[in-house]
Amino acid sequence: MLEEQKHVFEQIISYIKSEQVNAVVIAGDIYDQAIPRSEAIRVFDDFLTELAHTNVAVLLISGNHDSPERISYANRLLTERQLFLCGSFNGSLQKVTLNDVYGEVNFWLLPFIKPLSVCGFFGEHSIETYADALEAVIRSADIDYSARNVLISHQFFTKSGVVPIRCDSELTPVGGIDAINTGLIVQFDYVALGHLHGEQKVGAEHICYPGSPLKYSLSEIGQTKSVLLVELNQKSDLITKNLSLVPLHNMCEIKGKIAELMSPQFALQINKEDYLHIVLTDEEEILDPMEKLRSIYPHVMTFRFENSRTNHDCSSYQILTQPNQLSAYELFSEFFLAVCGCAMNTEQSQIVKDLLTKEPAP
């Protein structure tokens, strides 16, 4: 999706110029993996170069998908070009102070942290959870909350009674052990968050996940992607506005039997260049369905079956007979019923019987 990335970057640059933006915040997950592809690095490098030419300040942190060391590379040199890159937590909350007509604004850059990575810096504190780690980091910064402060963080923040929107493409620790209550950050004038792909506010109007610039998974199909324009005036005077990002190709889901989906009448109704997730409702087996589908729709991302077998709830099945009292054929018959949701037909039954009675090769 590199061309898609370039397309949204062009829109972001355009917004920076038209809205006369002073600073750009990138709150982590620069790449989708710790060792990104060289093509992805080049695309993002081009974007950073374009940002540098706009003369805006860029404040960037690493996320849980990123390699902190890679993100931090040459950060001291780039600071001279107003590119503030914070990939690794080094024991203190990094502070960048910018100025506007109202005076100073303090930006606090906090890359993704884990309790274990913080313990070595705060040995006197008991740090067992993600919340403990964040609390220790913020407490050590000695922040003057009478001034204007913006926190940039890449963690999973929640508020009691609020269920955040999550997506398949996010890395989610088992049991939600990474959850941090927003009460720890509510005193900041604005909190710019990375990590969650869906645009949302958590617990307060000034604690915001702007979301990812593109749809990266099936769970994001219904989302509208945007960047968030934040106007921070005098203390406690905050205005936010969503600026839409239009993709080169949309992502959507289509459903039906394969013959129907591949018919000229149906295909004419679909933008064949879109990224598609396809649900096949055929009952019979299909030989190489992905190859068939991509002959019509070149950007099929995934497909799955939805039929009487996949919809069948097998949780209520109970085997009343002890397995050692069943023949091999009876065992297989119960296995087939549990997996497929229906009994074998006459032809299938005969195939199994023939295989079980066949003499083994010498």
Side-chain angles (χ1 to χ4, degrees):
M1 300 177 72
L2 293 177
E3 292 305 314
E4 299 283 344
Q5 308 282 351
K6 294 175 186 178
H7 184 65
V8 296
F9 287 160
E10 289 170 2
Q11 293 176 68
I12 292 170
I13 294 292
S14 178
Y15 280 136
I16 290 169
K17 295 175 180 178
S18 64
E19 300 289 343
Q20 299 181 329
V21 169
N22 304 109
V24 174
V25 171
I26 306 174
D29 280 355
I30 311 305
Y31 303 108
D32 65 342
Q33 53 192 345
I35 304 178
R37 293 166 52 200
S38 59
E39 296 92 335
I41 295 174
R42 281 198 295 270
V43 169
F44 189 69
D45 181 65
D46 290 342
F47 177 54
L48 281 185
T49 302
E50 280 291 311
L51 286 177
H53 290 159
T54 63
N55 295 317
V56 299
V58 178
L59 305 117
L60 180 153
I61 63 173
S62 65
N64 58 319
H65 282 266
D66 297 315
S67 164
E69 294 76 19
R70 290 174 183 271
I71 300 301
S72 295
Y73 180 75
N75 63 332
R76 285 178 290 181
L77 288 174
L78 294 173
T79 296
E80 298 175 6
R81 296 298 303 269
Q82 291 283 89
L83 299 176
F84 302 96
L85 312 184
C86 183
S88 303
F89 177 71
N90 61 7
S92 61
L93 195 54
Q94 181 176 331
K95 175 183 174 183
V96 175
T97 301
L98 303 179
N99 289 275
D100 63 9
V101 295
Y102 300 105
E104 294 183 341
V105 181
N106 299 316
F107 289 83
W108 302 90
L109 280 61
L110 180 60
F112 177 71
I113 56 173
K114 295 181 179 179
L116 189 61
S117 63
V118 170
C119 284
F121 299 107
F122 306 101
E124 70 277 12
H125 301 290
S126 175
I127 298 176
E128 297 179 353
T129 67
Y130 283 81
D132 293 339
L134 184 79
E135 185 176 13
V137 170
I138 292 178
R139 183 173 57 244
S140 69
D142 193 24
I143 299 169
D144 176 10
Y145 287 106
S146 65
R148 292 181 297 165
N149 295 286
V150 175
L151 175 66
I152 307 171
S153 177
H154 191 99
Q155 305 288 155
F156 177 42
F157 288 95
T158 63
K159 182 177 173 60
S160 179
V162 177
V163 180
I165 303 167
R166 307 220 62 172
C167 299
D168 297 339
S169 45
E170 300 159 6
L171 294 178
T172 306
V174 176
I177 60 171
D178 58 339
I180 302 172
N181 192 284
T182 54
L184 292 174
I185 56 175
V186 74
Q187 285 184 276
F188 288 90
D189 295 278
Y190 180 71
V191 182
L193 298 176
H195 189 47
L196 301 189
H197 287 211
E199 187 273 325
Q200 57 198 295
K201 295 176 173 64
V202 183
E205 287 296 308
H206 68 291
I207 302 176
C208 303
Y209 287 100
S212 59
L214 289 172
K215 299 174 183 179
Y216 292 112
S217 68
L218 175 62
S219 58
E220 299 172 58
I221 281 180
Q223 296 178 3
T224 300
K225 298 300 184 177
S226 62
V227 286
L228 195 59
L229 180 66
V230 180
E231 186 177 346
L232 182 59
N233 299 308
Q234 298 184 58
K235 184 77 175 174
S236 303
D237 183 3
L238 182 78
I239 302 171
T240 62
K241 176 184 176 183
N242 289 89
L243 304 175
S244 297
L245 296 173
V246 181
L248 273 177
H249 307 109
N250 196 14
M251 182 182 292
C252 54
E253 181 179 85
I254 58 175
K255 179 178 179 179
K257 294 182 181 298
I258 194 166
E260 175 192 357
L261 300 185
M262 296 184 66
S263 68
Q265 296 86 349
F266 187 92
L268 283 173
Q269 305 173 45
I270 305 298
N271 185 341
K272 299 181 183 63
E273 296 301 314
D274 281 349
Y275 295 104
L276 297 178
H277 296 265
I278 296 182
V279 180
L280 297 176
T281 58
D282 299 81
E283 292 291 339
E284 64 276 8
E285 296 295 330
I286 301 171
L287 181 63
D288 202 352
M290 183 63 89
E291 182 179 357
K292 289 183 171 67
L293 291 167
R294 283 189 171 154
S295 68
I296 304 293
Y297 308 105
H299 294 151
V300 176
M301 300 189 77
T302 64
F303 81 91
R304 62 185 175 86
F305 282 95
E306 188 175 293
N307 50 34
S308 61
R309 289 173 292 174
T310 61
N311 291 334
H312 194 81
D313 181 10
C314 300
S315 60
S316 60
Y317 280 110
Q318 296 181 5
I319 297 177
L320 301 179
T321 311
Q322 292 297 319
N324 59 6
Q325 297 175 0
L326 296 175
S327 67
Y329 175 78
E330 290 169 329
L331 279 171
F332 186 85
S333 297
E334 293 207 7
F335 170 74
F336 187 95
L337 178 64
V339 171
C340 299
C342 59
M344 290 185 289
N345 59 33
T346 303
E347 182 182 1
Q348 292 166 333
S349 178
Q350 189 58 52
I351 290 172
V352 174
K353 289 178 181 177
D354 290 345
L355 286 172
L356 289 174
T357 57
K358 187 178 180 180
E359 289 292 331

